Amino acid sequence: MPVVIVKRNITITTQQSTQALLIALGTHSGLIWLADEAEPVIGLCPRWLVSQYAGLIQIQQRGHVGDRNGQLGTARVIEHDFAQAVQQQWHTSLLESWHTPELSGFCGGLMGFLGYDWAAAQHGVSAPDSSIACQAWLACYDIFLRKDGDGWHLYGSDCPSLQPLYDQIAACLRFAGTVRPSNDQAALDQPLPDFQIIEKFSPRWSFRQYQSAFLQVQDYLTAGDCYQVNLTQAFDAVVSGRLLNRLDALLDLTRAPYAGYLAIQPQHELLSCSPELFLSFLANGEVVTRPIKGTQPRHTDPEQDQALRQQLALSEKDQAENLMIVDLLRNDLSKTCTEVKVP
């Protein structure tokens, strides 16, 4: 039978922050928040999840229909690679028959992350020094919240057996708004452990190692073996508390139009933000990318701020780098798209 995604009769208009809303929903599995400019989405209680830990592929299905928190069932390990496992789940879950009447934008589907280590492995490059246990994580969401105007609206499958789960989500949303929580939500009144850095961040490479890598990149560029290299390294720190407690502060600091949060496990959270759109897939089949090269600091004085903006606009170096990355992405998109246009 086709799955019909409908707007549930659950709407909340709240002045609470995104952080407070996610904390209120924190007891539900697979909690994820993605902000795409003015269209934020919160996914929770996914239908299924495919993840990769240290080379092992795991698949989990949503638990029994009466579960009020939509917890995922016991993971089963398979021998497929990650992409094959996701594709198999996609085709066997009747997603092709999903129906979303009069719904544009995100209307259910995949959300998650693909790590750099996983991407490198697709090209035969290993990352032996990686401390990230989870390399890839994709879940299928047929239950999600979208912010339309000033309110958050719940969307979900029209399956009657999911009503207890929707009632639980509604209780959490009331908690995030002005209505006090019911007795079974009282635990949510306890704040998350504050996020603190116990030992400061330190680089994995010494200066000598970084210098050696930098010189090797220069040799690659001079020889014409590569077009562009983002030379980066990981930084490690000892921390305590929940990273979610710093979401509002990060958004206030950066004002980034693109951001995301994912709670893989209580001790494994992802929080990111960026001013740059990498790829956007539109409903009409178009793919949009908006690469950025060149930055300048902002200034509190309007005249100096405008001067910095003008300096960036007239920078030959930054313009050349921007043209380079635009050409690189144009070439990459031409491999899978029938037509590529550059404004």
Side-chain angles (χ1 to χ4, degrees):
M1 295 180 61
V3 176
V4 181
I5 304 296
V6 298
K7 180 186 287 189
R8 315 303 303 178
N9 190 27
I10 300 173
T11 301
I12 180 173
T13 302
T14 176
Q15 299 301 316
Q16 295 285 355
S17 66
T18 299
Q19 176 179 307
L21 185 59
L22 290 173
I23 290 175
L25 293 169
T27 59
H28 296 87
S29 63
L31 184 64
I32 185 172
W33 165 75
L34 295 178
D36 181 359
E37 294 187 305
E39 298 182 354
V41 176
I42 296 175
L44 64 166
C45 309
R47 195 172 182 179
W48 50 262
L49 162 66
V50 179
S51 57
Q52 178 172 325
Y53 291 85
L56 296 178
I57 311 301
Q58 301 181 10
I59 296 179
Q60 293 173 272
Q61 305 283 347
R62 190 161 55 211
H64 64 85
V65 293
D67 188 348
R68 289 167 58 86
N69 288 323
Q71 297 300 316
L72 294 165
T74 303
R76 58 186 177 92
V77 179
I78 63 172
E79 296 182 355
H80 299 294
D81 68 27
F82 182 82
Q84 288 178 331
V86 171
Q87 187 176 41
Q88 184 180 60
Q89 287 296 117
W90 182 267
H91 288 304
T92 58
S93 60
L94 300 178
L95 291 183
E96 64 274 6
S97 62
W98 278 26
H99 181 50
T100 53
E102 301 180 1
L103 183 60
S104 60
F106 183 81
C107 52
L110 298 179
M111 289 195 284
F113 88 99
L114 300 174
Y116 284 110
D117 293 346
W118 178 85
Q122 309 314 299
H123 302 279
V125 179
S126 62
D129 62 340
S130 175
S131 62
I132 303 300
C134 184
Q135 287 93 37
W137 193 101
L138 281 177
C140 177
Y141 291 90
D142 57 353
I143 301 174
F144 53 93
L145 289 149
R146 294 193 347 174
K147 190 172 185 181
D148 302 317
D150 294 331
W152 287 89
H153 302 277
L154 178 67
Y155 294 84
S157 167
D158 61 348
C159 178
S161 60
L162 290 173
Q163 190 58 49
L165 176 55
Y166 295 142
D167 292 340
Q168 173 74 354
I169 295 172
C172 291
L173 292 176
R174 287 196 299 271
F175 169 74
T178 57
V179 180
R180 298 304 297 167
S182 56
N183 290 334
D184 61 342
Q185 291 296 301
L188 293 175
D189 208 15
Q190 301 299 320
L192 291 179
D194 193 24
F195 181 80
Q196 295 182 338
I197 299 177
I198 307 303
E199 295 182 12
K200 67 178 183 179
F201 282 92
S202 60
R204 292 188 182 177
W205 290 351
S206 66
F207 177 77
R208 184 183 297 274
Q209 289 174 310
Y210 184 87
Q211 189 176 43
S212 176
F214 181 86
L215 293 175
Q216 186 175 20
V217 168
Q218 295 297 304
D219 290 340
Y220 287 148
L221 292 170
T222 302
D225 293 334
C226 60
Y227 193 68
Q228 174 182 284
V229 173
N230 291 324
L231 183 60
T232 61
Q233 65 167 313
F235 285 72
D236 298 312
V238 177
V239 302
S240 64
R242 292 291 301 277
L243 188 58
L244 179 55
N245 269 336
R246 286 293 179 264
L247 188 145
D248 283 349
L250 179 66
L251 297 181
D252 289 340
L253 176 67
T254 63
R255 303 293 180 180
Y258 306 102
Y261 169 80
L262 172 59
I264 297 177
Q265 297 172 353
Q267 278 71 43
H268 189 180
E269 302 168 275
L270 298 180
L271 178 57
S272 68
C273 65
S274 174
E276 182 179 31
L277 171 64
F278 181 39
L279 292 173
S280 179
F281 298 88
L282 307 182
N284 62 3
E286 292 184 354
V287 180
V288 178
T289 182
R290 299 192 188 101
I292 293 176
K293 285 294 180 185
T295 57
Q296 282 279 18
R298 303 300 300 269
H299 203 282
T300 55
D301 180 79
E303 291 187 1
Q304 294 192 45
D305 190 61
Q306 182 60 33
L308 290 170
R309 177 190 293 267
Q310 188 69 9
Q311 181 180 340
L312 178 61
L314 298 178
S315 170
E316 293 184 4
K317 174 182 177 295
D318 291 322
Q319 288 182 9
E321 290 185 356
N322 185 258
L323 289 174
M324 178 189 67
I325 192 64
V326 167
D327 187 58
L328 177 64
L329 289 170
R330 178 201 58 75
N331 179 71
D332 289 347
L333 290 176
S334 68
K335 297 177 181 178
T336 55
C337 299
T338 56
E339 183 181 8
V340 180
K341 295 182 179 179
V342 179

